[in-house]
Amino acid sequence: LARTPPAPPRPERIPAAEAAARHRAAVAAQTLRGILSPTTRRSYERDVAEFARLAGPARVLDDVTGEDVDDVLLRYQTTPDGRYADASRKPGSTGRSAATVNRFRQSVTRFFGHAAREGWVQADPMQWAAPPARLRDGRRGARTALAAGSAASLLEVSAARARGEPAVSRRDQDLQLRDRLVVALLLVLGPRVSELERANLDDFSREPDQTRWRIQGKGGHVRTVTLSPPLADALEEYLARLRPTLLARRPDDPDAQRALLLSWRGRRIDAQAVRGLLRRCVERMPAQYRREATPHALRHTTATLLAAEGWDVKVVAELLGHASIATTGVYLDRIEGELAAAIRAHPLSAALEPSEA
């Protein structure tokens, strides 16, 4: 006799707000295991909480359809970007950019994938949602990386402050050695800001002739990079002259004892502090070189300048911690004059001899 297949289990009908809270707990657990970075965790938590708010906190998650998801994405896109106190000052428009909306969509996709595995929905509604917007055929319109001159100027400004030259009068001006080290690490090694903020002293192997940094990357992946001698000297100077003073302000904080980079108050430095110190350094750059320098822009700068010097993209990918060189390709901004140089270097260009009259 043929047996009737068992019916699929009925989904747990929970409201969107409760599902979001449970998902946050799962994301926190993945962060503790090193699968997700703290920055990625905050992004997921913020996006999923916003999705629950827009979809309706009391709305049963299993009742959300693909059309509902499209409606949430549209309302999210047209909502003023909260990063700007005055929405009218945001370049382009007051709404969110396509890149921000696509990042939000990725967070929601991950959320519903988790919901389907946990049995909160019968089917993932994302498969019926409209496809994501394409970003200029995959190409960025604006340059992200700093030009070589701007990058050198930024490094010179941070080094000048470390040498005790006149600085902006601030209470945190004693952090010059730390700021110089941060700028140098970002420009030379191109780490993610999350990798920089969670760097610990134990991650550095400091030997007389070589210093290596064991970087805890995204998804629990680990890579080891070797510091150049000047970079190793900047690290040693910070550790000897400044870090003990900062640590003395929180001697009983175990996380501060582990952390490499400390704030004015002796706490582990965070991404906001890194952006702040970069902003202060940019303010001191000569006007002709001055332009916005975010931690991510400096990561692009590392990739672009190494590629301009002829380094293989595979080497650049290994340095940045990319699993695929396709990802690294996105980081390589157009290098001024590279097209003309490539044409001049074409192997057949020299074969074009002028014809005799």
Side-chain angles (χ1 to χ4, degrees), residues 14-28 30 36 40-57 61 64 72-73 76 100-101 103-115 120 126:
I14 60 175
E18 181 180 345
R22 294 188 188 182
H23 180 66
R24 286 197 298 271
V27 168
Q30 289 180 319
L36 299 176
T40 302
R41 171 188 175 178
R42 289 192 292 268
S43 178
Y44 283 153
E45 291 178 341
R46 181 177 61 251
D47 289 343
V48 171
E50 180 69 3
F51 175 82
R53 185 187 71 81
L54 293 173
L61 193 65
V64 175
V72 167
L73 291 174
Y76 179 82
T100 301
V101 175
R103 187 220 66 222
F104 176 78
R105 182 192 179 96
Q106 290 173 357
S107 298
V108 175
T109 299
R110 185 184 181 93
F111 169 58
F112 272 111
H114 179 77
W120 303 339
M126 298 302 296

Side-chain angles (χ1 to χ4, degrees), residues 77-283:
Q77 183 171 9
T78 55
T79 302
D81 194 330
R83 293 175 298 176
Y84 294 85
D86 182 359
S88 63
R89 297 181 60 186
K90 179 180 180 294
S93 67
T94 58
R96 292 180 167 96
S97 67
T100 301
V101 175
N102 282 348
R103 187 220 66 222
F104 176 78
R105 182 192 179 96
Q106 290 173 357
S107 298
V108 175
T109 299
R110 185 184 181 93
F111 169 58
F112 272 111
H114 179 77
R117 292 190 297 271
E118 293 295 320
W120 303 339
V121 294
Q122 297 181 72
D124 186 348
M126 298 302 296
Q127 60 186 315
W128 293 291
R134 299 183 68 86
L135 299 180
R136 303 170 72 89
D137 295 329
R139 299 174 184 171
R140 286 176 280 106
R143 181 183 177 91
T144 302
L146 272 62
S150 294
S153 176
L154 178 63
L155 192 56
E156 182 180 352
V157 166
S158 65
R161 295 184 63 196
R163 290 195 298 265
E165 296 183 12
V168 178
S169 179
R170 292 180 56 94
R171 186 177 68 167
D172 57 3
Q173 61 184 355
D174 291 335
L175 300 179
Q176 293 165 358
L177 290 174
R178 185 206 65 182
D179 292 0
R180 177 183 61 160
L181 177 62
V182 167
V183 172
L185 289 172
L186 288 172
L187 277 174
V188 177
L189 302 181
R192 301 175 179 90
V193 67
S194 59
E195 296 169 346
L196 192 63
E197 64 179 299
R198 66 169 177 258
N200 292 325
L201 280 178
D202 291 345
D203 296 331
F204 289 81
S205 174
R206 298 153 56 203
E207 301 174 3
D209 58 342
Q210 192 177 71
T211 299
R212 293 185 297 271
W213 180 13
R214 188 171 181 269
I215 302 176
Q216 306 289 335
K218 293 178 65 174
H221 298 291
V222 178
R223 65 188 187 279
T224 300
V225 298
T226 301
L227 277 63
S228 63
L231 197 53
D233 290 343
L235 171 65
E236 293 299 330
E237 189 173 9
Y238 161 74
L239 293 178
R241 294 178 50 191
L242 179 58
R243 188 178 179 277
T245 302
L246 301 177
L247 185 60
R249 293 166 183 165
R250 295 182 67 85
D252 299 326
D253 185 343
D255 186 57
Q257 296 285 341
R258 293 189 298 268
L260 170 70
L261 299 168
L262 299 176
S263 69
W264 169 264
R265 299 183 183 279
R267 296 188 177 93
R268 180 186 292 271
I269 197 175
D270 58 18
Q272 183 177 358
V274 174
R275 296 187 185 97
L277 72 87
L278 287 178
R279 189 165 53 249
R280 294 194 296 274
C281 286
V282 168
E283 290 172 355

